[in-house]
């Protein structure tokens, strides 16, 4: 393998099985938070692969690594600390953590790593948009504005 991108691509392509029934693996391997050792969906494959490439390139630029097997847990933690410090949204960070976990899992399956380099306690809580876009104190003003445009709507 020549570049980090080639290595990431190799790992993800080897473990992408479109059309495979994931539910059989889930039934045989119960438990919350366990990663299936392959991706089925094309959307998941592309999203996690792109995240893994982004992480690998950041690690290459920061630590001058040339192989996936050179990645350490401390490097992964530093990457996510930098992402949080840059103000990246929690949902993006959560998806990138899954990308890193998949990359680590695939490296273990390929025997490039002995254990996944993503620490088990590395998490990011997903968030949702607030239910109401405006604070409650604006409600009378909004109703007045709507009533001026269309009295029946107010």
């Amino acid at each position: 393998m020549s570049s980090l991108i080639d290595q990431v691509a190799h790992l993800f392509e080897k473990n992408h099985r479109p059309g495979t029934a994931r539910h059989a693996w889930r039934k045989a391997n119960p438990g919350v938070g366990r990663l299936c050792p392959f991706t089925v969906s094309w959307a998941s494959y592309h999203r996690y692969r792109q995240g893994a490439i982004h992480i690998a390139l950041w690690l290459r630029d920061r630590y001058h690594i040339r192989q996936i097997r050179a990645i350490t847990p401390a490097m992964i933690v530093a990457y996510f600390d930098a992402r949080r410090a840059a103000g990246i949204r929690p949902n993006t960070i959560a998806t990138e953590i899954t990308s890193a976990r998949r990359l680590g899992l695939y490296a273990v399956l390929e025997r490039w790593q002995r254990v996944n380099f993503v620490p088990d306690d590395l998490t990011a809580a997903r968030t949702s948009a607030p239910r109401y876009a405006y604070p409650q104190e604006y409600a009378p003003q909004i109703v007045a504005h709507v009533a001026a445009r269309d009295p029946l709507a107010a």
Side-chain angles (χ1 to χ4, degrees):
M1 302 273 145
S2 57
S3 72
L4 277 175
I5 293 174
D6 291 340
Q7 293 171 47
V8 171
H10 168 77
L11 291 174
F12 274 81
E13 287 166 14
K14 185 172 182 177
N15 294 290
H16 183 224
R17 300 181 193 159
T20 303
R22 182 177 44 207
H23 69 276
W25 184 89
R26 288 273 181 228
K27 188 173 183 179
N29 298 279
V32 176
R34 297 194 57 201
L35 282 178
C36 183
F38 53 87
T39 51
V40 176
S41 159
W42 281 101
S44 296
Y45 165 78
H46 286 290
R47 177 63 187 111
Y48 295 141
R49 182 174 173 253
Q50 281 306 112
I53 288 171
H54 186 268
I55 293 165
L57 292 177
W58 187 91
L59 294 173
R60 181 197 66 190
D61 293 344
R62 175 95 183 250
Y63 297 104
H64 310 291
I65 64 169
R66 300 179 81 174
Q67 295 182 334
I68 298 296
R69 59 179 43 123
I71 299 174
T72 66
M75 292 177 185
I76 295 294
V77 169
Y79 171 79
F80 286 106
D81 287 345
R83 296 293 278 168
R84 285 184 179 104
I88 303 302
R89 299 179 71 188
N91 288 354
T92 302
I93 291 174
T95 301
E96 288 180 347
I97 288 173
T98 302
S99 296
R101 281 196 203 291
R102 285 217 168 270
L103 180 61
L105 172 66
Y106 297 160
V108 169
L109 293 173
E110 191 73 9
R111 295 195 171 114
W112 292 357
Q113 293 273 351
R114 284 184 292 138
V115 296
N116 195 327
F117 43 69
V118 179
D120 290 336
D121 62 347
L122 183 64
T123 61
R126 291 195 173 270
T127 59
S128 60
R131 183 177 174 118
Y132 303 104
Y134 300 100
Q136 190 62 33
E137 62 264 12
Y138 291 125
Q141 294 171 353
I142 294 170
V143 169
H145 176 75
V146 171
R149 287 190 357 219
D150 184 2
L152 294 176

